[in-house]
């Protein structure tokens, strides 16, 4: 609930009186390492407690999938883009901790004044990374096929229009989406780029390397994006590459999202 910004809606001004009186809230906070208004990494007992009431299994527990590794590609941003990032940093008084709180408040809808600037910044950051992406693709081994995921559609459209890649975006009809996937899997496209909207459930196992230009704010949706190339039918190891701009704003965004992913993984719900 906290990650989704729904804590106040669920509990009012804080944890419900019933939870406090029964001690359930204290036990929950202890299991999930909550202190000083921050959630940490869930303790080992948290997964065991959840397993008593959930029947869901992780794909890695039941499928014989090849290994997955993560890499990071640092991107040098333009002076104009750095200035744009500086504007958001100023709202946080130049402090990294306050910046993290500000970004989480914006996403949770608690800081409407800065939301428009932040959403524009996210789109512009994604677009600004495309040049570094194209350069990185030139270094990929010839026998390795790449895919690109972006929560923002502009990088996907650029890869389609300027690089001749297949592209999957949310406004495609089912027949067009099917044909795009078929052409990619059959080797008619050199690569494929996609937003998660429209790409859920599809198989892109010809690719073994995924470049993530702009992550979604939901760790579950990012994992769904990864799973397009690492699913039944994939026989080769998979590499996931995150593109991160050289400014503290993009660093903080990346750290928040990776922390959410660790929380999800540790809970056993991924």
């Amino acid at each position: 609930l906290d990650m989704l910004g729904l804590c106040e809606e669920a509990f009012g001004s804080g944890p419900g009186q019933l939870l406090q009186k029964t001690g359930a809230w204290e036990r929950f906070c202890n299991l999930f390492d909550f202190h000083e208004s921050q959630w940490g990494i869930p303790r080992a007992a948290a997964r065991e407690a959840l397993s008593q009431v959930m029947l869901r299994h992780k794909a890695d527990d039941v499928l014989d999938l090849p290994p997955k590794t993560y890499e990071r590609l640092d991107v040098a941003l333009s002076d104009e883009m750095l200035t744009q990032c500086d504007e958001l940093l100023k709202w946080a008084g130049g402090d990294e901790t306050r910046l993290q709180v500000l970004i989480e408040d914006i996403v949770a809808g608690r800081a409407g004044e800065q939301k428009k600037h932040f959403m524009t910044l996210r789109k512009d950051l994604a677009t600004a990374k495309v040049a570094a992406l194209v350069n990185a693709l030139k270094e990929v081994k010839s026998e390795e096929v790449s895919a690109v995921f972006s929560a923002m559609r502009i990088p996907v459209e650029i890869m389609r229009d300027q690089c001749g890649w297949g592209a999957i975006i949310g406004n495609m009809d089912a027949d067009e989406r099917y044909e795009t996937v078929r052409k990619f899997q059959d080797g008619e496209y050199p690569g494929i780029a996609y937003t998660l909207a429209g790409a859920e459930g599809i198989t892109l196992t010809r690719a073994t390397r995924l470049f993530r230009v702009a992550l979604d704010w939901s760790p579950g949706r990012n994992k769904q994006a990864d799973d397009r190339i690492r699913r039944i039918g994939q026989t080769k190891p998979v590499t996931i590459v995150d593109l991160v701009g050289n400014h503290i704003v993009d660093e903080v965004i990346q750290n928040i999202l990776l922390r959410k992913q660790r929380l999800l993984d540790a809970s056993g719900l991924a």
Side-chain angles (χ1 to χ4, degrees), residues 123-137:
K123 292 177 182 178
D124 291 348
L125 275 171
T127 304
K129 296 174 185 178
V130 173
L133 167 65
V134 172
N135 287 332
L137 288 167

Side-chain angles (χ1 to χ4, degrees), residues 202-214:
I202 66 173
T203 295
L204 303 172
T205 49
R206 179 172 161 244
T208 56
R209 180 174 291 266
L210 176 65
F211 289 89
R212 304 195 302 188
V213 177

